[in-house]
Amino acid sequence: MRIAVIGAGAVGLTVADMLAQSDAVAEVHLLDRQTEAAGGATSYAGASDVPHGWTERHRRLIETSMEWHRAVGADLADEDRYRHRTGTFWRSDDERSDARILGFAYDTPVLTTDARTGARGLLGDGYVIAPGRLARILLGRLRASGKFTARFGTAVEGPAGLADGTVLDASGSRDDFDAVVVAAGPWVTELLADLPGLSGLRTKQVYGYRFTGDPRDPLTGTVVDLEHGAFLFPQPTVPDSYAMSIKCDVYDVPVAEGAPSAEADEAAWTVARTHLGPEARLTARRIFVDTYTDGSIPLVADLSGGRRLVCVSGTHGSGIRLAPGLAREACDLLGVA
């Protein structure tokens, strides 16, 4: 089989890697509108990998992903490791909040008091992923496969032809494939506009921040504050730097850098000062877009009805941590073992 993967983020790279490992696939072509250095997963500060899932499918995705990460990371040198165990502190003010967390944090975290802040919460397992390092590892594996062609800086036209395996780029060049996988993040909503099977897929604003704290008292694990919709964790490759995402219900936004939000900023500062202390300093802010579906269930769908066009989207801000599980589902839809 000759397969094109559109999108060089964490999901697209992992799909391409799994395809290249299969004897059934002869060629894998990876296309992305950005350059290799700027595109996809390489531009993210980090990603928390927390064992929580609110449906059985989420749990299967997480378990598949964790197994894949263990296998890929087993032989890496220390300087190449992209996934680091940190633990996760779920901030929880009362028994009602405890029950909510225990409903989807399936590693059964235990009740504790945070020694740094005195905050009440539940302590469980967790990891932090360095996406740029993961991207470099996957690109290295793909190039070593002998099946891989990278076409960075290629803007694909859609949706015409994609359902039949035909890829047209902005220059007018045409290429025919046995199948196409689209894992282009929020650009899916533009690239595959009006195709059946995407109903319910929406864009949503996500607010990203980077902070520094007190180097004498560093935060070593992930903090999840559901009240403020916040995930705060150490940036894997930068000492004394912390990444935070704040999720606010701002839907159906253009796929472009968004405007700051006073509500999100206030939430970010509240969480930063609580868990990083009064020395917390904001060093960067980025407002980006992700895709969501009703019920926050990731979308992995055959849009052609004939295993020619598979779309992966609606990752609910979890594309990096769920990438291997989503890639496995996409390969299964293509009939690739």
Side-chain angles (χ1 to χ4, degrees):
M1 296 178 70
R2 188 170 185 265
I3 301 178
V5 179
I6 300 173
V11 177
L13 284 167
T14 312
V15 170
D17 178 71
M18 285 193 184
L19 291 170
Q21 303 302 316
S22 172
D23 292 338
V25 177
E27 295 180 28
V28 178
H29 294 247
L30 181 67
L31 299 85
D32 196 282
R33 64 173 64 196
Q34 300 187 70
T35 64
E36 178 178 344
T42 59
S43 62
Y44 282 65
S48 59
D49 184 10
V50 177
H52 74 287
W54 44 95
T55 67
E56 284 303 314
R57 178 162 170 247
H58 275 106
R59 296 187 180 207
R60 289 196 304 272
L61 289 170
I62 292 166
E63 288 162 4
T64 300
S65 297
M66 287 191 167
E67 182 180 346
W68 184 90
H69 285 305
R70 284 192 291 268
V72 170
D75 298 324
L76 294 177
D78 287 344
E79 62 270 20
D80 293 327
R81 293 195 180 278
Y82 64 88
R83 186 170 178 261
H84 307 275
R85 194 167 201 160
T86 61
T88 301
F89 178 75
W90 299 82
R91 175 126 189 208
S92 178
D93 295 327
D94 51 42
E95 292 182 359
R96 183 177 179 181
S97 297
D98 294 348
R100 180 187 177 195
I101 293 165
L102 290 169
F104 54 74
Y106 64 87
D107 62 325
T108 315
V110 297
L111 185 63
T112 188
T113 299
D114 182 25
R116 298 176 69 258
T117 65
R120 178 188 185 281
L122 299 171
L123 183 63
D125 204 1
Y127 299 81
V128 172
I129 294 173
R133 190 171 288 177
L134 172 60
R136 289 192 292 274
I137 290 166
L138 288 171
L139 284 168
R141 284 163 56 100
L142 282 163
R143 288 177 173 130
S145 72
K147 302 178 180 181
F148 176 63
T149 299
R151 294 164 61 179
F152 293 104
T154 301
V156 174
E157 299 291 312
L162 287 175
D164 297 319
T166 298
V167 173
L168 303 171
D169 66 29
S171 70
S173 175
R174 167 184 173 139
D175 207 343
D176 294 312
F177 296 90
D178 295 301
V180 177
V181 179
V182 179
W187 288 278
V188 164
T189 58
E190 298 178 352
L191 187 62
L192 302 179
D194 303 323
L195 278 184
L198 291 184
S199 60
L201 185 66
R202 306 172 70 184
T203 55
K204 184 178 179 181
Q205 207 87 76
V206 179
Y207 300 87
Y209 301 85
R210 297 185 196 182
F211 286 91
T212 58
D214 184 350
R216 298 166 299 179
D217 187 21
L219 176 68
T220 58
T222 296
V223 173
V224 183
D225 187 326
L226 296 178
E227 179 185 353
H228 295 97
F231 283 73
L232 171 67
F233 51 89
Q235 192 175 341
T237 56
V238 183
D240 189 34
S241 182
Y242 305 90
M244 184 192 304
S245 65
I246 298 286
K247 294 178 172 60
C248 297
D249 291 334
V250 182
Y251 288 96
D252 304 319
V253 295
V255 184
E257 184 79 15
S261 160
E263 178 187 359
D265 287 355
E266 181 180 359
W269 273 112
T270 297
V271 174
R273 290 187 177 115
T274 299
H275 295 282
L276 299 178
E279 293 82 5
R281 297 290 181 271
L282 178 67
T283 60
R285 176 175 56 194
R286 179 185 177 194
I287 297 91
F288 54 99
V289 180
D290 209 332
T291 50
Y292 288 67
T293 60
D294 295 336
S296 303
I297 306 298
L299 173 73
V300 182
D302 179 0
L303 300 183
S304 65
R307 295 184 172 182
R308 300 296 299 277
L309 175 61
V310 170
C311 175
V312 184
S313 193
T315 58
H316 191 64
S318 298
I320 294 173
R321 76 183 184 100
L322 296 181
L326 295 168
R328 183 67 267 160
E329 288 191 351
C331 290
D332 288 346
L333 277 180
L334 294 172
V336 174

